[in-house]
Amino acid sequence: MTGAPARLAARLAAAVRERAEFRDELTLVVSREDLLEALQAARAEGFVMLTDLTAVDRHPARPRFEVVYLLTALDPPARVRLKVRVEADDATVPSATGLWPGASWLEREVYDLFGIVFIGHPDLRRILLPDDWEGHPLRKDYPLVEEPVQFRGHTPKVPSQIIPRVPPGQ
């Protein structure tokens, strides 16, 4: 590992809890307390683009949630992945909107679908689902129901018509 990813890893050495390299891409896991500093360091090392921000529900593993930041440097090109893990009963992380204004939409999506709260977000509210939607549908314990969603000009299907009853390959 060379260039900006190597410099970032060295700069964050004290904050990194786990480190992985795969196919010349670096993944660093940091604590929630070190996240904002790690994101600022990444930006200072040339990772000027927040390519994506998403989450993973690791249920039943603990900590349950993982928030994933995919960062890109443009000159020279490089990518790095920063992760932070949080428990379900305290699923909060600092907002990255101060560093990348585009994080606003991505954080709203993660909030909407996983229920992870971004502290300091300027307008944290649902982005994909109606305001009165109950729960966060990408959580692994979110119940599947056979209730059709009504769209104009579309014939809805219930999940049992969409999800195969037999796993692929059998």
Side-chain angles (χ1 to χ4, degrees):
M1 185 70 41
T2 59
R7 287 192 309 271
L8 179 63
R11 190 172 178 167
L12 296 176
V16 172
R17 294 182 172 208
E18 290 179 37
R19 173 190 170 130
E21 290 182 37
F22 182 70
R23 293 189 177 166
D24 212 25
E25 285 194 12
L26 178 65
T27 300
L28 303 172
V29 179
V30 298
S31 70
R32 176 175 41 198
E33 292 73 27
D34 294 325
L35 176 64
L36 211 47
E37 181 181 330
L39 292 172
Q40 290 168 339
R43 182 146 180 125
E45 290 295 339
F47 292 94
V48 295
M49 192 164 82
L50 176 64
T51 308
D52 199 5
L53 189 166
T54 188
V56 177
D57 184 352
R58 305 168 64 234
H59 182 71
R62 297 189 70 185
R64 180 172 174 172
F65 295 108
E66 196 169 71
V67 181
V68 182
Y69 300 80
L70 301 173
L71 304 170
T72 301
L74 301 176
D75 189 27
R79 294 195 305 183
V80 70
R81 187 175 300 108
L82 284 179
K83 295 181 176 182
V84 62
R85 295 181 179 140
V86 293
E87 292 288 353
D89 60 354
D90 187 21
T92 62
V93 295
S95 174
T97 55
L99 295 168
W100 294 279
S104 176
W105 298 88
L106 302 168
E107 289 176 352
R108 284 180 61 190
E109 182 179 38
V110 169
Y111 166 73
D112 195 2
L113 300 176
F114 289 94
I116 296 170
V117 174
F118 292 86
I119 304 296
H121 189 284
D123 185 23
L124 193 61
R125 57 189 165 95
R126 289 192 181 274
I127 190 170
L128 298 173
L129 299 170
D131 291 338
D132 60 348
W133 190 274
E134 292 182 18
H136 306 284
L138 288 188
R139 287 185 173 201
K140 286 186 176 175
D141 58 358
Y142 188 81
L144 282 179
V145 295
E146 297 215 10
E147 182 178 327
V149 178
Q150 300 295 325
F151 294 104
R152 190 176 303 156
H154 177 265
T155 304
K157 296 179 179 177
V158 295
S160 62
Q161 293 173 312
I162 300 168
I163 300 169
R165 293 182 191 275
V166 178
Q170 293 188 0

